[in-house]
Amino acid sequence: PAENKKRWEFPLDELTIFVDPLDGTREFVEGRVHNVGCLIGIARNQRAIGGAIGVPFPRCNSDGSSSDFVVHYALTLGNDENFHGTWPHEAGKVEGSGTSQYQQGGEENVTVFTGDSQNPILSKATKTAMDLASSISTNPPTHSILGGASAKLLHVAMEPNSIALLHFNTELWDTCATEALIKAKGGKVTDFFGSPLVHNSTKTEGNVLGVIASSPGSLSSKIHSALCEQMRADVASVKTLCGVSKWMGAFTSNDAQAVDISRDLDGSPVSKQWIEKQFGRTQSDKSCSIPSLKSYSVPESDTFRGLMSNGCRIVLDWETEEDMVDHESSVQRSRPPQSTAFLKRIVMADLSHAKSKIKNAPHKLIRDVKSYGVESSFLTSRACKHGLIRKAGVRVNSVYGSDLRPILGTSDPEKLIESRFMMLLEDFSENDGWKQEWLLEEDSCRATLKTLAKMHGYFWHGSSFWKENDGEWGRELENCVWSNGGYMQPSLQGWNQLNLVTKGWLKRLPDFEDHLQTIPELDG
């Protein structure tokens, strides 16, 4: 009904239209015309949000009747605003709204759709998917060979308990519309390592890291997540796909790699050139004394996946004097920079917890966006770099470089969710004598309190800090950090939040002591 229709308006510069007038050219030529699709996809800020998938030569409708053509359409804006349907309407079926719940039966057979490519990585992923389906599902899975990218993805959107694996030569126009339909129905689409697809109009390559799509429901989702995890652990595949010269290089580690986290803010693997630049090396400066970066790795064991941010340790393999023996350059190279760095990455629209705050706690989302900017501004301020670290002697992570893309000038959570942040930080690694402790022993506790006291004392009202550089450092600091540092104060929480905390504590109190008794670290 017209009264139930909703209108969305977006700036044109946020939108990209991807058109594929004939997806499945080989299928068309070889006579399998039912696998052909005509695709119009809509991407907003690099993410597929809508599309129409025309099937000009369908075999038949679901009710058995014939049809000249069928169009599947979808719009997914996140935050449970999902709409999908088919035209002409299937018999007895109306347009969908919200996330589809049709796949809940774990007793169904799992179907894995692929093409007939003999690519060894795709073959390995297919076997892994079949093995996972066999171990998770109660019934044996089926491997189905199907041509056409849109045909495979359309099957995932329409059939429960299905997984599709696409090769590494599909283009963005192959996946934009179909991804929107799958997401509108509650499914998931990623590359082979679990990172979201990026539909960026300026991207020079297509889906070179492959495509995995899964239908809605816990069974398919489990297989999808486990498959991506195993592909990250398959170092040979990672080296082939990500170990190219412009990205990771020929790294030597045989450990699982967190290549879903070590991405730039546009979704591509972080490049060696970008890392070199953060350490002061430029490709055009032939006299640069900083060594070049041969390769890097991102051990899965040193990776953090959180509710509101992700991070990974990057192990850096710099060029050494031995590597430069055959070089003609007479430039005297300096000592290689740090052997590790830590990458902190936040793409808020990719974080489910952040997206849930749009409806549940929009004031917290506003705070979160500001907090990322405050963190970076403080770490890069003269007050921190020259004052706190050098003069007060407090060890704080240096920032080698950053890419900050906050959405400014608005308090609308729907817009703020598009904010993105990335920082390359000094790494306090175990190799340099650092360690993390969950519970501090007495000596560590005293050292911690002493360091905190030193930091607060350095910035205390009336301290010499406020006179540094005629007070310029202080004014810079006041402009870039919170006016106060206590988020738990009542004025920032709201009365309702305080009531929730009270109720939660009263519920937790009766078994709080019993729970503490179960923690081995607290023995004695």
Side-chain angles (χ1 to χ4, degrees):
E3 62 271 16
N4 291 338
K5 295 187 181 295
K6 185 175 179 179
R7 179 186 179 92
W8 287 274
E9 293 185 3
F10 304 114
L12 281 176
D13 60 2
E14 293 184 357
L15 301 176
T16 304
I17 308 297
F18 292 92
V19 178
D20 187 355
L22 182 63
D23 176 72
T25 305
R26 177 185 167 193
E27 300 302 293
F28 182 81
V29 171
E30 296 183 2
R32 296 180 293 274
V33 294
H34 50 276
N35 291 334
V36 170
C38 304
L39 314 176
I40 301 176
I42 306 171
R44 180 190 176 213
N45 294 326
Q46 306 180 4
R47 280 179 288 275
I49 65 164
I53 302 102
V55 184
F57 311 111
R59 282 173 169 160
C60 62
N61 290 327
S62 59
D63 63 352
S65 63
S66 62
S67 174
D68 292 332
F69 59 91
V70 173
V71 177
H72 301 274
Y73 56 86
L75 183 65
T76 175
L77 301 175
N79 209 26
D80 293 329
E81 290 186 304
N82 300 311
F83 304 90
H84 53 83
T86 304
W87 188 91
H89 296 310
E90 294 181 6
K93 191 171 183 178
V94 297
E95 297 181 25
S97 176
T99 299
S100 172
Q101 299 296 324
Y102 68 83
Q103 182 203 352
Q104 298 298 332
E107 299 302 316
E108 302 255 356
N109 285 352
V110 173
T111 302
V112 178
F113 293 98
T114 72
D116 59 3
S117 169
Q118 300 301 308
N119 179 284
I121 298 178
L122 184 61
S123 298
K124 184 179 294 185
T126 302
K127 182 180 184 307
T128 302
M130 294 291 288
D131 291 343
L132 287 168
S134 297
S135 65
I136 294 175
S137 176
T138 56
N139 292 325
T142 300
H143 179 204
S144 178
I145 304 293
L146 186 66
S150 63
K152 286 187 277 289
L153 296 178
L154 194 56
H155 273 276
V156 169
M158 307 304 292
E159 296 183 15
N161 300 317
S162 57
I163 305 282
L165 281 67
L166 274 58
H167 59 67
F168 310 102
N169 296 320
T170 63
E171 299 292 344
L172 304 183
W173 50 79
D174 294 321
T175 51
C176 186
T178 44
E179 178 185 359
L181 177 61
I182 291 171
K183 291 197 301 184
K185 288 195 154 195
K188 182 166 63 172
V189 182
T190 70
D191 64 25
F192 268 40
F193 303 115
S195 194
L197 300 188
V198 176
H199 289 89
N200 187 337
S201 60
T202 63
K203 193 175 178 183
T204 57
E205 67 272 348
N207 300 304
V208 294
L209 300 181
V211 178
I212 299 177
S214 58
S215 59
S218 60
L219 178 59
S220 299
S221 180
K222 285 179 181 178
I223 297 171
H224 190 142
S225 297
L227 176 57
C228 292
E229 183 178 352
Q230 292 206 25
M231 292 308 297
R232 294 195 298 270
D234 181 30
V235 180
S237 296
V238 176
K239 288 182 176 180
T240 300
L241 296 176
C242 298
V244 295
S245 58
K246 70 174 180 178
W247 288 340
M248 296 177 69
F251 66 93
T252 58
S253 172
N254 290 316
D255 298 327
Q257 299 292 305
V259 288
D260 59 324
I261 305 299
S262 57
R263 304 290 178 104
D264 62 25
L265 293 185
D266 294 316
S268 295
V270 170
S271 70
K272 293 189 302 174
Q273 185 175 345
W274 183 83
I275 296 175
E276 288 178 336
K277 184 178 178 181
Q278 311 318 307
F279 282 96
R281 176 179 171 81
T282 57
Q283 298 294 315
S284 59
D285 185 2
K286 301 301 182 182
S287 63
C288 182
S289 63
I290 298 175
S292 62
L293 182 63
K294 294 194 297 182
S295 67
Y296 72 84
S297 59
V298 278
E300 179 70 37
S301 57
D302 294 331
T303 296
F304 170 77
R305 293 180 174 84
L307 293 175
M308 291 298 294
S309 66
N310 296 312
C312 61
R313 172 169 289 152
I314 301 182
V315 180
L316 306 168
D317 183 15
W318 297 98
E319 190 177 49
T320 64
E321 292 184 3
E322 290 77 9
D323 297 318
M324 295 184 287
V325 169
D326 296 329
H327 288 194
E328 296 181 2
S329 174
S330 60
V331 176
Q332 182 65 40
R333 299 298 192 196
S334 63
R335 181 183 176 185
Q338 298 295 325
S339 61
T340 61
F342 193 83
L343 183 74
K344 182 175 181 180
R345 184 178 187 270
I346 303 106
V347 177
M348 300 192 73
D350 290 344
L351 300 170
S352 57
H353 189 67
K355 289 189 288 188
S356 70
K357 291 184 178 181
I358 293 178
K359 279 189 174 182
N360 302 331
H363 66 287
K364 290 187 177 181
L365 192 63
I366 296 171
R367 173 210 68 193
D368 292 336
V369 171
K370 185 176 180 180
S371 72
Y372 297 132
V374 167
E375 177 186 26
S376 177
S377 296
F378 173 72
L379 291 174
T380 57
S381 69
R382 287 177 291 179
C384 180
K385 293 192 298 182
H386 302 305
L388 186 63
I389 296 176
R390 295 181 184 176
K391 292 200 169 188
V394 175
R395 289 300 305 272
V396 180
N397 301 71
S398 297
V399 179
Y400 298 131
S402 62
D403 184 1
L404 309 177
R405 306 182 194 178
I407 300 300
L408 303 173
T410 181
S411 58
D412 182 356
E414 297 277 2
K415 296 179 179 179
L416 291 173
I417 195 70
E418 298 298 334
S419 297
R420 303 167 182 227
F421 307 88
M422 186 170 74
M423 289 191 294
L424 189 66
L425 300 163
E426 178 185 6
D427 181 27
F428 290 167
S429 71
E430 295 86 349
N431 293 336
D432 297 324
W434 296 92
K435 64 178 180 178
Q436 295 187 27
E437 294 182 3
W438 181 57
L439 290 174
L440 300 180
E441 299 292 341
E442 182 177 346
D443 289 345
S444 298
C445 188
R446 288 181 181 275
T448 300
L449 293 174
K450 182 179 179 180
T451 301
L452 288 173
K454 186 184 293 186
M455 181 181 74
H456 286 287
Y458 181 71
F459 292 123
W460 203 259
H461 179 70
S463 72
S464 60
F465 162 75
W466 299 98
K467 299 176 183 178
E468 293 284 1
N469 204 20
D470 293 328
E472 190 174 335
W473 289 9
R475 290 189 293 272
E476 178 191 50
L477 182 66
E478 289 180 319
N479 288 333
C480 74
V481 300
W482 302 102
S483 57
N484 54 72
Y487 177 65
M488 295 308 296
Q489 60 184 296
S491 62
L492 293 179
Q493 285 295 325
W495 186 250
N496 183 57
Q497 183 70 10
L498 294 176
N499 282 332
L500 291 174
V501 172
T502 301
K503 292 179 181 178
W505 173 243
L506 291 175
K507 183 179 179 180
R508 189 76 177 88
L509 182 60
D511 64 346
F512 189 71
E513 183 176 355
D514 293 337
H515 179 72
L516 292 179
Q517 298 296 330
T518 65
I519 300 176
E521 290 83 354
L522 295 178
D523 287 347

